[in-house]
Amino acid sequence: MITVENLSIHYGNLAAVRDVSLDIPEGKITAVVGPSGCGKSSFLASLNRLTDLIPGAKVAGEIRLNGKSDIVNDPGLDLLELRRTVGMVFQKPNPFPLSIRKNFELPLLEHGISKREIPGRIESTLREVGLWDEISDRLDESAENLSGGQQQRLCIARALALRPKVILFDEPCSALDPLASGVVEDHIAALRGKVTVVIVTHNLAQARRIADEVALFWVRDGAGCVIETGPANTIFDRPKDPDAALYFSGARG
Amino acid sequence: MSPSVNDRVAGAALGIAAWLCGGISLLILIWVGVEAIPALNNDPGISSLLGDAHWLPGSVREPQFGMLPILAGSVLVTIFSIIPATVAGVGCAVFQRFYAPKWMRTFLRRVLELLAGIPSVVIGFWGLVVLVPILQKWQPPGQSLAAAAIVLAIMILPTVALTASTALKNVSPGLFRAAAALGMGRARTILGVALPTARRGIAGGVILAAARAIGETMAVVMVCGNVAQWPGSIFDPIRPATATIALEMSYATAGHRSVLFALAFFLVLVVGAAVGWIAFRKPSTPHRR
Amino acid sequence: MIGGAARLSRNDRLLGAAGGFAALVVLVGFGAIVFDLFQTGTASLSIPFLVGKVENGGRAGGIGPVLISTGMILLVCLAVALPLGTGCAIWLSEFASKIRFARAITAGIDLLASVPSIVFGLFGMVFFCRTLGLGFSITSGGLTLACMILPIVIRTTLIGLSGAPSNLRPGAAALGLSRVSTIRHLLLPVAIPGVVVGTTLGISRALAETAALIFTSGYATRWPEGFDDSGRAISVHIYDLAMNVPGGAANAAASALVLLLALLFINYLATLLADRWLLKRIAPTSE
Ligand SMILES: Nc1ncnc2c1ncn2[C@@H]1O[C@H](COP(=O)(O)OP(=O)(O)O)[C@@H](O)[C@H]1O
Ligand SMILES: [Mg+2]
């Protein structure tokens, strides 16, 4: 369970996200939707402190993982361990331009997994994303030679290999063709119950298909905030906010 | 004159300029190559060049033209300069890109550019009056393979460091984000992701630097000791190809002179091939471990 | 910052220390070289040294004739390399209609850029001194250097020309401008920064050159009597004093300092100009 309280994100003087509070349930799939520029990616990146990589980005508020230490403010937080626990998959597949095996070895070795354990991890996670049968004989070839959809599944497997508790997806299908997009979506859906998933998506139909919970971001007073949250099976039908109603009906956003 | 005539005249003039510029390298190959023909043919001929035991071109009774020790000198001095220059240059680039504060980054780059701009004769002079005496006290005679390698390493280090820095800069930020999102630390990100990804650019810089090292003359001739021999240790004097040409051309005649041209021709081929290879490398090679 | 962590692990710090050490070695090494040259060179450096004639093989007197010869060699070099290089670049970017020809010429220029300077020296000796009958002369030396800096001039000019907005040419053609006027009034102004930076870089390369001059412009230390006279460039002077003239080290050091200062200034100028004109792509080294 991730508890977000009064989260604000600034880039210099620009407020990207203001005062967001949200509960993300454990083991479920939470979809974050909304028009572009409303702060979804910024919100997601703050959950594993990837906002640290952006010069000038400032995060305020609280984020707690299972009620424990505060991700935003805790000075003693081990960032590398946080990112092992909270994995992330990006819009554009970003495998390292090295061998497929290296793609797994580098992060696994960083987190102290022994060399002996690694082949097993590679196989099990590649099976989880349905890649094992496709590429098991090409582990020493460059990951760049894979198709876009395969690369994205490799990135998911690479994150899964670290046995994270949470995985963040930032529009993981929008750079893929429809067929590959469907395959990736199925594998994300299959993570339900195993890890906590937060997925940013532009695609309302996708949110409907795979999400348990939905949070709608919107720009109000120049900054992103959450205007509607709820279970996926009801939120689309009975939104309280008028903007949300228009957005879900396809008229806005 | 009508504009179209004007245009044609201008086009022709510029075209001549262009062909002239492009043709100079051909002129060089031909003019140097022609002078080298006797040496390869029979005066003294390839068998003598490769077979003679010694380099004694001035001997009146029985001149010998064994150029293997000379080629070995060129190769050794290149290897012994490129290794430290690569280690230090890449280290410098890593520090500059990933550790140095912003002001120091620019400062380091400026210093490297200035270092690259010091003429070879000046570095050679520095080597002769500062470096060689130090080596001499420690491992006489001082003028040696080691001295030449150090001087050359200083000269080519900026090339390696600056190209490595550019190559590291061109590593896609997405890969750094991916590494960060996987909880990878700085050292592993640099060693495991950044350097391997930039390896083509870095290797290109190293090869360019090696090409410069093997073709460098002045800095080497002033500190290498100029003895055409197989060096027994790195503190022995050597005489690489470029130094041989510079020192002997002023008095060489007949076959000896032709051999020096053959050495020059050989240098052009080696360096041209190295540089051409970088330019025409396939854009990307599938990675194998 | 990459790795993201505020705290660096032991390995992170080790790598940083190793890189920092390399950088330190470079800084200290550069500092030491410049310091040594200043220390040994300032002793004999003076105005009379700069204008005086060379005496006693260079042990005494100054470097006046050497500076004049250097300037004349440079003059010949630029007088040939600038028009030829600029012309070649303009042809490549504006006139070359067959890609095959442009490729061949570019390959030739790339090869030229890779030729070691001692080979230029030999080529100049047989081609300019002998085949063209120019003898051991300032002209031969200048022409040899011109061949050497042509690639630099061509490349920078090409970069300058590529900065011209792509709609300039069809726009000019639509106005019925001839190609010559298009080039003169529209493209050349755009290309001038590239030419200027290329010239500066070329001068710095030419000034630094020794090996190409030993066998072309020669060793003569008298006041040069004309372009057909032999004349000793400053870099050759340094080499000769250091290697062949016992007791010449002091004046060699002073000459080396003069050359170093001139080059540091010119290179500084080149960076400044390149930055000023936002031609960051020109300096192969820029960030
Ligand atoms: N690195 C950045 N620097 C400055 N502004 C940024 C940066 N990234 C995003 N923004 C701004 O923050 C706001 C939210 O962006 P983002 O989180 O990417 O939204 P979304 O993912 O919903 O499209 C936008 O106005 C965007 O312009
Ligand atoms: Mg986004």
Side-chain angles (χ1 to χ4, degrees):
Chain A
M1 163 103 159
I2 305 172
T3 330
V4 179
E5 270 175 47
N6 303 326
L7 184 79
S8 297
I9 303 171
H10 287 261
Y11 295 111
N13 293 325
L14 176 106
V17 170
R18 188 181 297 135
D19 236 0
V20 164
S21 297
L22 190 68
D23 285 345
I24 296 166
E26 191 166 340
K28 300 236 170 99
I29 298 178
T30 302
V32 173
V33 297
S36 38
C38 66
K40 305 182 296 292
S41 297
S42 307
F43 169 74
L44 206 65
S46 70
L47 296 181
N48 67 348
R49 287 269 299 267
L50 224 54
T51 38
D52 287 21
L53 299 192
I54 304 163
K58 274 199 291 293
V59 183
E62 275 183 22
I63 303 172
R64 289 184 187 283
L65 195 57
N66 294 326
K68 284 200 305 243
S69 70
D70 177 2
I71 289 174
V72 179
N73 303 303
D74 181 2
L77 183 74
D78 181 346
L79 269 187
L80 303 189
E81 179 57 22
L82 168 70
R83 288 170 186 159
R84 189 195 68 74
T85 325
V86 183
M88 188 163 192
V89 173
F90 299 83
Q91 174 171 10
K92 200 162 159 278
N94 54 7
F96 302 130
L98 311 168
S99 71
I100 295 168
R101 192 189 303 282
K102 267 265 178 231
N103 267 276
F104 287 91
E105 275 175 357
L106 286 170
L108 287 172
L109 288 173
E110 181 74 57
H111 295 285
I113 315 299
S114 73
K115 277 232 169 208
R116 257 182 310 122
E117 253 178 284
I118 288 178
R121 285 263 178 127
I122 295 179
E123 176 169 353
S124 66
T125 45
L126 280 180
R127 280 193 195 285
E128 268 186 82
V129 297
L131 266 183
W132 180 252
D133 296 331
E134 294 171 39
I135 64 171
S136 60
D137 54 340
R138 297 199 264 155
L139 292 184
D140 290 313
E141 283 178 29
S142 173
E144 283 175 308
N145 296 348
L146 300 178
S147 72
Q150 286 175 322
Q151 288 189 7
Q152 193 64 306
R153 280 187 285 154
L154 175 71
C155 289
I156 297 173
R158 191 174 62 176
L160 280 175
L162 294 172
R163 308 262 159 85
K165 297 203 177 72
V166 183
I167 299 194
L168 313 170
F169 291 90
D170 193 351
E171 306 192 31
C173 299
S174 56
L176 307 178
D177 66 80
L179 215 63
S181 162
V183 176
V184 169
E185 183 184 313
D186 290 344
H187 286 289
I188 295 173
L191 295 175
R192 191 190 326 271
K194 294 188 228 163
V195 290
T196 306
V197 171
V198 186
I199 176 170
V200 168
T201 174
H202 253 352
N203 183 337
L204 284 181
Q206 185 176 58
R208 256 183 232 268
R209 284 194 298 270
I210 65 171
D212 302 304
E213 296 286 325
V214 175
L216 174 61
F217 273 61
W218 205 263
V219 178
R220 289 272 160 86
D221 301 325
C225 55
V226 177
I227 59 167
E228 190 88 33
T229 55
N233 48 13
T234 57
I235 185 172
F236 293 111
D237 307 325
R238 279 176 261 107
K240 284 164 263 154
D241 188 282
D243 281 328
L246 283 171
Y247 183 69
F248 289 149
S249 70
R252 182 71 78 75
Chain B
M1 235 190 309
S2 79
S4 74
V5 174
N6 243 339
D7 274 2
R8 252 179 289 152
V9 172
L14 295 172
I16 291 172
W19 281 106
L20 215 58
C21 293
I24 292 175
S25 37
L26 207 61
L27 281 185
I28 292 179
L29 284 177
I30 295 171
W31 254 256
V32 173
V34 163
E35 300 288 328
I37 290 175
L40 302 174
N41 207 6
N42 55 9
D43 185 14
I46 287 188
S47 61
S48 171
L49 293 178
L50 300 180
D52 287 0
H54 301 285
W55 177 260
L56 296 167
S59 164
V60 187
R61 210 169 294 154
E62 199 184 347
Q64 289 198 38
F65 295 96
M67 58 146 89
L68 288 181
I70 285 172
L71 296 182
S74 281
V75 171
L76 285 174
V77 81
T78 302
I79 291 173
F80 280 112
S81 62
I82 204 74
I83 292 172
T86 302
V87 173
V90 174
C92 215
V94 163
F95 178 76
Q96 191 222 16
R97 279 277 153 226
F98 301 120
Y99 286 93
K102 203 171 166 139
W103 63 268
M104 200 196 277
R105 218 183 276 185
T106 325
F107 176 69
L108 256 177
R109 203 189 84 212
R110 290 273 185 264
V111 169
L112 286 169
E113 284 169 358
L114 288 178
L115 192 57
I118 300 183
S120 46
V121 72
V122 172
I123 294 206
F125 177 69
W126 174 83
L128 186 65
V129 298
V130 179
L131 181 66
V132 166
I134 295 174
L135 280 174
Q136 191 174 20
K137 265 188 216 129
W138 177 45
Q139 290 279 356
Q143 293 194 327
S144 57
L145 170 56
I150 294 173
V151 162
L152 270 183
I154 295 173
M155 291 189 59
I156 60 179
L157 187 145
T159 309
V160 177
L162 291 166
T163 42
S165 173
T166 308
L168 287 173
K169 183 184 157 231
N170 290 341
V171 173
S172 138
L175 296 180
F176 290 120
R177 263 194 309 163
L182 290 162
M184 284 167 59
R186 198 178 290 189
R188 201 176 297 271
T189 306
I190 294 167
L191 297 176
V193 179
L195 287 176
T197 307
R199 65 188 181 277
R200 286 172 55 79
I202 296 173
V206 171
I207 291 167
L208 271 183
R212 257 196 80 192
I214 206 167
E216 174 55 41
T217 310
M218 297 330 288
V220 172
V221 85
M222 294 170 86
V223 299
C224 69
N226 293 314
V227 180
Q229 62 175 2
W230 291 91
S233 88
I234 60 166
F235 297 107
D236 282 350
I238 53 159
R239 169 177 280 203
T242 51
T244 310
I245 300 171
L247 289 170
E248 298 176 8
M249 187 48 86
S250 51
Y251 64 82
T253 51
H256 180 197
R257 185 172 180 279
S258 179
V259 173
L260 298 182
F261 273 93
L263 279 175
F265 193 72
F266 183 68
L267 276 178
V268 179
L269 290 189
V270 169
V271 172
V275 174
W277 180 67
I278 304 172
F280 295 105
R281 270 188 305 184
K282 283 209 210 80
S284 167
T285 42
H287 175 78
R288 282 177 199 284
R289 265 190 37 166
Chain C
M1 193 57 235
I2 66 158
R7 274 173 297 122
L8 296 177
S9 75
R10 205 168 56 97
N11 285 346
D12 297 345
R13 271 182 278 124
L14 268 178
L15 183 64
F21 180 72
L24 194 70
V25 167
V26 169
L27 289 181
V28 170
F30 177 73
I33 292 175
V34 172
F35 176 81
D36 288 340
L37 289 170
F38 263 89
Q39 212 188 17
T40 50
T42 38
S44 356
L45 195 57
S46 64
I47 297 290
F49 178 76
L50 291 178
V51 298
K53 65 176 199 258
V54 181
E55 291 169 40
N56 194 8
R59 292 181 196 87
I63 54 170
V66 173
L67 291 183
I68 300 289
S69 299
T70 309
M72 288 170 74
I73 293 171
L74 212 54
L75 206 66
V76 173
C77 162
L78 291 179
V80 174
L82 280 191
L84 212 56
T86 319
C88 172
I90 292 178
W91 188 82
L92 279 176
S93 98
E94 306 302 321
F95 285 84
S97 46
K98 289 217 175 78
I99 196 96
R100 229 160 8 105
F101 293 162
R103 280 229 186 96
I105 289 177
T106 314
I109 293 163
D110 286 346
L111 183 62
L112 193 63
S114 76
V115 171
S117 48
I118 185 82
V119 179
F120 276 108
L122 296 200
F123 167 71
M125 182 175 89
V126 283
F127 186 74
F128 294 121
C129 300
R130 211 183 55 202
T131 308
L132 298 190
L134 297 169
F136 251 39
S137 64
I138 285 171
T139 311
S140 293
L143 290 174
T144 309
L145 289 192
C147 298
M148 214 173 74
I149 69 164
L150 264 176
I152 301 173
V153 175
I154 294 170
R155 276 181 197 164
T156 41
T157 308
L158 273 177
I159 293 172
L161 281 171
S162 72
S166 58
N167 56 4
L168 213 59
R169 296 167 186 101
L175 288 171
L177 276 179
S178 72
R179 265 164 135 184
V180 172
S181 355
T182 311
I183 291 169
R184 249 187 56 199
H185 301 295
L186 296 175
L187 289 174
L188 266 187
V190 185
I192 277 181
V195 177
V196 173
V197 175
T199 309
T200 335
L201 290 174
I203 292 177
S204 107
R205 172 92 203 266
L207 262 186
E209 188 46 48
T210 314
L213 292 177
I214 295 179
F215 304 122
T216 51
S217 60
Y219 283 87
T221 54
R222 58 177 177 271
W223 294 97
E225 280 158 19
F227 287 99
D228 55 349
D229 199 3
S230 164
R232 169 190 284 213
I234 183 160
S235 50
V236 176
H237 189 54
I238 298 167
Y239 169 67
D240 193 53
L241 283 186
M243 290 290 284
N244 306 331
V245 181
N251 275 356
S255 311
L257 188 56
V258 171
L259 178 58
L260 185 71
L261 289 177
L263 280 170
L264 289 183
F265 174 72
I266 289 169
N267 286 340
Y268 170 75
L269 203 67
T271 337
L272 200 74
L273 292 174
D275 282 355
R276 167 74 47 87
W277 276 312
L278 295 175
L279 282 167
K280 302 227 155 160
R281 287 169 302 164
I282 281 186
T285 57
S286 63
E287 279 207 318

